[in-house]
Amino acid sequence: MKKKYSLIITFLLCCGLLITCNSNSKVKATFIGVIEEMINDREAFVYVNKTEDSPVYGIIYVNLAKNPDETFQVGDKVKVGYDGTVQGTAPLTVTTLSVELVE
């Protein structure tokens, strides 16, 4: 009987952790920029033109694989959504949650 309760508690804890982890992946900040350099077809350096609730500026590393349906190239204007955290690397890096072409 104790084993059964232990399994139920373990299962509930795991479910709680999964729900908590998924809730952290919401877009908290966005910026608009122009792709300056393609690293490969899924990664690029973007020069930030405009920010919306975002402290980023300059050249930012962006993961383009978050939008596999779109083909990106140098010169494209993109809107990038991320979790609000900026890693202090050179160049700056964000955890990309969404990326889309803008007119």
Side-chain angles (χ1 to χ4, degrees), residues 3-75:
K3 196 174 201 179
K4 186 176 183 179
Y5 285 123
S6 294
L7 286 173
I8 291 172
I9 290 172
T10 303
F11 176 74
L12 292 174
L13 284 173
C14 289
C15 288
L17 286 173
L18 286 174
I19 290 170
T20 302
C21 290
N22 285 337
S23 67
N24 289 339
S25 61
K26 293 182 181 175
V27 173
K28 295 181 182 171
T30 60
F31 64 84
I32 295 174
V34 176
I35 296 177
E36 293 289 317
E37 180 182 340
M38 298 291 294
I39 299 168
N40 55 43
D41 61 337
R42 292 181 271 171
E43 302 170 311
F45 294 123
V46 175
Y47 181 77
V48 178
N49 291 333
K50 180 181 176 186
T51 64
E52 300 170 7
D53 304 324
S54 173
V56 298
Y57 56 88
I59 300 288
I60 308 291
Y61 166 83
V62 175
N63 179 0
L64 302 174
K66 295 297 177 175
N67 187 348
D69 300 328
E70 197 69 62
T71 302
F72 298 97
Q73 58 189 3
V74 172

